[in-house]
């Protein structure tokens, strides 16, 4: 592991003039741990918020000069439960960012919150006045029994109260997170959850399929749980895509839906190879052609920032030209899809073999063309995107190998 400060080449300056940059601040505190949660978050560690604040403030200050040539157009406070830090601390971190970073005047500034922690409209108003202009609320389900089964500590009534508080605070960009495939969840109850979410009139909705990760309490209980099977989960997903389209939410990514003009600008950076710098334990970054992550351990992170100890858990330099596979993997998650010309120009590759493959997928209703000629996956394709992406990467690798073999035999027309 290396110290954060050493991962950039000295004198790094981006080639593009003022390219955009997103900042991600990971707040690792939660009131209690949800049964399915695999994120780095600590329950009952409120007494450690002061040391976290010292470290993350010092870290933001330390990295700021490296962002001097960028325009920061998104800031995302995620977690964990960022609202656990308290309004004063959150405002102080955002003020620090405004002071140290070239923040654009129309930056999207998001805070994640859980319904039980977002019902104080005056606190929400204070956040809005400080500059927070988007809230991502973890509703997850409208069914209290389902919420309880996965260890959520809020109720559906509290979600409604939080939405009232957020709107009363005049926050105009609200996202609701939902989960399908929950233990004992029926299609009928999923339909009720979607209807309840739409009734709350958010600008954005995310629908994630439940993943039972090893090491979580839910994983240990797995054998005794009644989980909707793959077919039922597929039906729930397709219902959501159709219902949300009918109610004004366009799908712009596998799990994300938005009203016109309200897609998550920060999350789009992840899927379009934009630059983002993360802060806090467990935070990931892709900044200055280096992809890196900080250790999922608050003590090690604090030691790293304040006392110079190692705090990177991974770091890899990836020049733009060899990001072809990433481009395909990430862009196929989105409705923008992949564009032959863009791909060939950016990575000096051939798209022909992929063109043939996408035509095959289109025949099976797994892919379709956008108006600009890009290939995107259909909802049916999104649902099996992992398999399709493996096939796409495999096809690209075989095509490259075959071209290189031909060139080695003297046929340079293939390059
Ligand atoms: S609130 Fe979110 S981060 Fe915290 S334990 Fe639950 S799922 Fe994990």
């Amino acid at each position: 592991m290396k110290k954060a400060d050493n991962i950039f080449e000295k004198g790094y300056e981006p080639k593009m003039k003022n390219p955009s940059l997103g900042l991600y601040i990971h707040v690792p505190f939660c009131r209690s741990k949800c049964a399915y949660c695999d994120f780095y978050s600590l329950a009952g560690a409120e007494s450690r918020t002061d040391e976290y604040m010292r470290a993350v403030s010092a870290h933001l200050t330390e990295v700021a000069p490296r962002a001097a040539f960028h325009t920061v157009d998104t800031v995302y406070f995620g977690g964990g439960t960022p609202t656990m830090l308290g309004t004063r601390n959150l405002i102080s971190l955002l003020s620090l960012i405004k002071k140290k970073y070239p923040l654009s005047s129309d930056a999207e500034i998001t805070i994640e919150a859980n319904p039980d922690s977002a019902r104080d409209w005056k606190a929400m108003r204070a956040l809005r006045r400080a500059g927070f202009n988007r809230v991502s609320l973890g509703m997850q389900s409208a069914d209290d029994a389902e919420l309880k089964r996965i260890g959520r500590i809020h109720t559906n009534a509290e979600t409604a109260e939080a939405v009232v508080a957020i709107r009363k605070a005049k926050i105009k960009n609200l996202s609701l997170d939902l989960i399908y495939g929950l233990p004992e969840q029926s299609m009928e109850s999923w339909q009720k959850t979607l209807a309840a979410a739409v009734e709350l009139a958010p600008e954005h909705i995310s629908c994630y399929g439940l993943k039972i990760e090893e090491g979580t309490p839910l994983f240990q209980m797995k054998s005794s749980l009644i989980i909707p099977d793959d077919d039922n989960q597929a039906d729930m997903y397709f219902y959501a895509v159709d219902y949300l389209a009918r109610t004004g939410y366009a799908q712009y990514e596998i799990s994300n839906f938005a009203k016109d003009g309200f897609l998550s600008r920060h999350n789009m950076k992840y899927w379009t190879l934009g630059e983002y710098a993360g802060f806090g334990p467990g935070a990931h970054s892709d900044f200055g052609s280096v992809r890196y992550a900080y250790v999922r351990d608050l003590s090690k992170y604090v030691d790293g920032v304040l006392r110079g100890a190692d705090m990177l858990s991974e770091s890899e330099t990836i020049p733009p030209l060899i990001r072809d596979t990433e481009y395909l993997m990430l862009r196929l998650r989105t409705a923008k899809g992949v564009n032959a010309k863009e791909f060939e120009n950016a990575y000096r590759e051939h798209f022909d073999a992929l063109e043939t493959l996408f035509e095959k997928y289109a025949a099976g209703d797994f892919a379709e063309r956008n108006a600009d000629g890009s290939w995107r996956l259909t909802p049916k394709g999104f649902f099996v995107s992992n398999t399709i992406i493996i096939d796409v990467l495999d096809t690209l690798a075989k095509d490259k190998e075959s071209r290189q073999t031909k060139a080695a035999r003297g046929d340079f027309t293939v390059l």
Side-chain angles (χ1 to χ4, degrees):
M1 294 197 293
K2 290 184 262 177
K3 188 176 180 288
D5 208 20
N6 297 331
I7 55 177
F8 301 102
E9 289 169 30
K10 281 239 166 349
Y12 162 72
E13 279 183 36
K15 295 201 172 39
M16 205 194 311
K17 200 168 179 275
N18 301 122
S20 71
L21 175 71
L23 303 183
Y24 173 78
I25 293 90
H26 188 80
V27 182
F29 303 107
C30 285
R31 253 178 72 198
S32 70
K33 197 78 186 164
C34 304
Y36 60 92
C37 180
D38 188 36
F39 300 116
Y40 178 64
S41 71
L42 307 166
E46 290 85 340
S47 60
R48 301 188 66 187
T49 52
D50 284 353
E51 62 176 309
Y52 168 83
M53 282 298 293
R54 272 198 302 282
V56 85
S57 303
H59 195 190
L60 280 161
T61 304
E62 179 188 334
V63 174
R66 310 222 179 257
F69 298 96
H70 287 72
T71 298
V72 173
D73 61 353
T74 65
V75 182
Y76 196 104
F77 285 73
T81 309
T83 38
M84 289 281 295
L85 271 188
T87 311
R88 225 178 48 195
N89 282 335
L90 288 164
I91 292 174
S92 139
L93 285 179
L94 187 54
S95 305
L96 180 68
I97 289 169
K98 285 180 171 174
K99 201 164 131 202
K100 301 280 181 189
Y101 287 81
L103 193 67
S104 66
S105 57
D106 66 343
E108 175 192 89
I109 303 177
T110 304
I111 182 162
E112 285 181 352
N114 283 322
D116 51 292
S117 67
R119 290 175 296 148
D120 177 351
W121 79 271
K122 286 188 178 159
M124 288 289 127
R125 182 179 63 182
L127 292 176
R128 195 258 303 156
R129 284 179 174 165
F132 288 90
N133 52 29
R134 185 171 185 271
V135 175
S136 176
L137 197 66
M139 172 178 176
Q140 318 308 3
S141 168
D143 183 305
D144 287 346
E146 284 173 10
L147 289 169
K148 207 167 174 191
R149 256 176 239 129
I150 55 169
R152 300 288 301 183
I153 51 172
H154 68 268
T155 61
N156 185 46
E158 285 175 326
T159 299
E161 283 172 39
V163 173
V164 169
I166 289 162
R167 294 310 197 188
K168 194 169 172 186
K170 296 196 170 58
I171 292 173
K172 299 197 173 88
N173 193 348
L174 169 67
S175 177
L176 297 178
D177 276 3
L178 305 176
I179 307 179
Y180 62 91
L182 295 172
E184 294 179 43
Q185 187 178 40
S186 64
M187 180 59 147
E188 196 192 346
S189 98
W190 173 235
Q191 289 172 344
K192 280 187 186 161
T193 287
L194 281 167
V198 168
E199 184 71 16
L200 292 169
E203 281 67 35
H204 184 282
I205 295 179
S206 301
C207 299
Y208 299 105
L210 178 71
K211 283 206 178 67
I212 303 188
E213 305 282 359
E214 227 177 311
T216 60
L218 214 59
F219 188 84
Q220 281 158 17
M221 296 185 268
K222 208 174 156 189
S223 55
S224 61
L225 297 172
I226 303 164
I227 307 277
D229 64 18
D230 289 352
D231 283 349
N232 285 329
Q233 289 203 31
D235 288 345
M236 288 176 179
Y237 178 72
F238 296 135
Y239 178 83
V241 171
D242 180 58
Y243 178 75
L244 291 174
R246 280 189 280 120
T247 47
Y249 298 87
Q251 184 173 28
Y252 70 96
E253 195 266 348
I254 295 177
S255 312
N256 287 285
F257 307 81
K259 286 191 177 164
D260 204 16
F262 286 97
L263 51 75
S264 164
R265 283 160 54 194
H266 184 82
N267 287 344
M268 278 304 285
K269 286 186 190 297
Y270 301 144
W271 305 312
T272 55
L273 297 178
E275 286 191 285
Y276 52 93
F279 301 85
H284 287 250
S285 305
D286 191 343
F287 184 26
S289 293
V290 186
R291 199 181 311 116
Y292 55 98
Y294 297 116
V295 66
R296 286 165 59 105
D297 183 312
L298 178 56
S299 302
K300 285 186 180 161
Y301 175 75
V302 171
D303 271 359
V305 175
L306 300 180
R307 291 174 273 283
D310 289 341
M311 64 182 207
L312 283 178
S313 60
E314 53 188 88
S315 167
E316 192 184 2
T317 302
I318 311 175
L321 210 58
I322 61 162
R323 292 189 168 220
D324 51 348
T325 53
E326 261 182 275
Y327 169 90
L328 294 169
M329 281 166 60
L330 295 171
R331 285 289 285 271
L332 282 174
R333 294 184 61 94
T334 72
K336 268 167 100 87
V338 295
N339 184 283
K341 270 207 186 96
E342 190 177 59
F343 179 77
E344 292 186 337
N345 290 340
Y347 307 109
R348 296 177 206 156
E349 301 270 5
H350 295 268
F351 198 81
D352 318 11
L354 298 180
E355 189 72 29
T356 310
L357 184 67
F358 283 119
E359 275 162 12
K360 187 191 90 181
Y361 279 125
D365 191 26
F366 290 98
E368 64 189 2
R369 276 193 194 281
N370 283 325
D372 68 351
S374 304
W375 282 108
R376 60 163 285 180
L377 300 186
T378 58
K380 191 174 155 189
F382 276 146
F383 195 72
V384 290
S385 59
N386 288 348
T387 312
I388 293 179
I389 287 168
I390 290 170
D391 197 12
V392 166
L393 299 187
D394 203 39
T395 302
L396 180 71
K398 282 185 184 141
D399 185 54
K400 271 194 210 173
E401 199 184 320
S402 138
R403 285 174 193 278
Q404 279 160 2
T405 308
K406 283 180 188 161
R409 290 189 187 129
D411 180 2
F412 296 107
T413 60
V414 295
L415 292 179

